[in-house]
Amino acid sequence: MSSMRTKASPSRLAAGAVMALAILPLSGCLFNSIPADTPAAEDPISTPEPTTGGDSGENDGAPATLSFEDGDLLSDSVYIEWGDGLMTDDGWETTSADDGNGGWAYGTIDGTCTAQFWQGYTSDVQVTPGDDSASSDAMLGAILQTDAATITPNAVDGAFSYQVGGNTDVANRQITGQDGDRTWIMSARAFATPGLGVYLIVDCTGGDTKAVLAEVIEKNALIAY
């Protein structure tokens, strides 16, 4: 099982891990708008399918899987965070240390790709109670400084791993952008009931972005407790 990113309690994390637009230091030319020709029909990295889940039976308030519909089963007291599987991976190095606001980043040793992580509370996002899919689109919209109506026709369903790597138990929404030989895939999941969210951005220049995203998701499962 991936090591946990932090041992901090949710109450301590609440003080600093609130989503803000300023936490995403990416090239502005890519994110001013979503191009009209962004391929909405692009295949997702993975499609969520119900499985037996991980160790969620030991986690009060966390269901066995986290489909968009399962989000309604989360308790208000649950916390969800990334397990850090890149910390000791020889193929990756830290490029941005934990910023105290829920974000950090790794880069591949060859310098072709980065993986940016964020976790925390989504008080700055207009979520839709009972609809984690729409809430996730709103989260992507907040990051890209646009609205969910622009995101929804361009995004596809994907998945994160849950509790351990190798499953597709956490549904997410993904959007892809490209600028020359640079491609980024942004994946986000909002959990409207507890007011939480996570995102992952894999950004590659000259690399296989989909393959790298699949590797990162495999090695960094989401943990609920």
Side-chain angles (χ1 to χ4, degrees):
M1 180 171 166
S2 302
S3 60
M4 296 184 71
R5 177 70 192 176
T6 174
K7 300 295 185 181
S9 67
S11 59
R12 187 176 73 81
L13 287 165
V18 176
M19 185 175 175
L21 295 178
I23 65 179
L24 192 60
L26 294 175
S27 173
C29 64
L30 285 177
F31 301 103
N32 287 336
S33 62
I34 300 172
D37 58 353
T38 299
E42 184 137 346
D43 290 338
I45 300 304
S46 52
T47 302
E49 296 179 359
T51 72
T52 56
D55 300 327
S56 58
E58 301 173 4
N59 298 296
D60 184 27
T65 61
L66 285 172
S67 68
F68 290 127
E69 293 76 16
D70 289 337
D72 286 343
L73 304 177
L74 290 167
S75 73
D76 291 336
S77 61
V78 76
Y79 194 77
I80 298 170
E81 67 179 10
W82 290 105
D84 194 335
L86 300 183
M87 186 182 298
T88 58
D89 192 304
D90 291 340
W92 294 82
E93 60 186 355
T94 300
T95 57
S96 179
D98 195 318
D99 61 7
N101 196 36
W104 65 93
Y106 286 96
T108 54
I109 296 299
D110 64 9
T112 60
C113 297
T114 59
Q116 299 185 50
F117 296 85
W118 182 83
Q119 63 192 30
Y121 291 90
T122 54
S123 57
D124 296 334
V125 178
Q126 177 121 18
V127 299
T128 303
D131 192 341
D132 277 6
S133 179
S135 297
S136 298
D137 284 356
M139 186 174 172
L140 287 169
I143 299 165
L144 292 170
Q145 301 185 52
T146 187
D147 56 24
T150 304
I151 295 292
T152 298
N154 292 290
V156 296
D157 289 345
F160 296 129
S161 296
Y162 185 41
Q163 310 289 22
V164 295
N167 61 67
T168 58
D169 287 347
V170 183
N172 67 35
R173 293 284 284 167
Q174 297 178 354
I175 196 160
T176 300
Q178 190 164 6
D179 183 22
D181 62 350
R182 179 187 179 193
T183 302
W184 53 263
I185 303 174
M186 179 182 295
S187 306
R189 172 62 187 268
F191 304 96
T193 297
L196 298 169
V198 298
Y199 72 64
L200 166 65
I201 304 169
V202 170
D203 188 334
C204 294
T205 300
D208 187 340
T209 311
K210 285 188 175 183
V212 174
L213 176 60
E215 175 194 353
V216 173
I217 288 173
E218 168 74 19
K219 294 178 177 179
N220 297 268
L222 287 170
I223 311 297
Y225 60 92

